[in-house]
Amino acid sequence: MAVFPDSARAWLWTEHTAVPLTDAPPVVTHIAWPAHSRSLALAGLIRTAARL
């Protein structure tokens, strides 16, 4: 048994079955970074995460 996001259904083999999990709480992801950061890579990560 494993728990994957609904988007993983596209990658299942024909031998596998997906059963929706309806009683789990929603997942919330938080990203924190130093306010003084000037990293372009970090800025790109934050832009991508906010867009998703």
Side-chain angles (χ1 to χ4, degrees):
M1 183 178 99
V3 178
F4 294 105
D6 192 44
S7 60
R9 288 178 148 207
W11 299 98
L12 289 178
W13 297 343
T14 57
E15 297 87 8
H16 294 150
T17 300
V19 179
L21 182 62
T22 59
D23 61 346
V27 174
V28 177
T29 302
H30 299 271
I31 300 176
W33 64 93
H36 63 275
S37 176
R38 300 289 182 251
S39 167
L40 294 178
L42 178 59
L45 170 65
I46 300 305
R47 277 194 300 274
T48 300
R51 191 171 55 243
L52 295 175

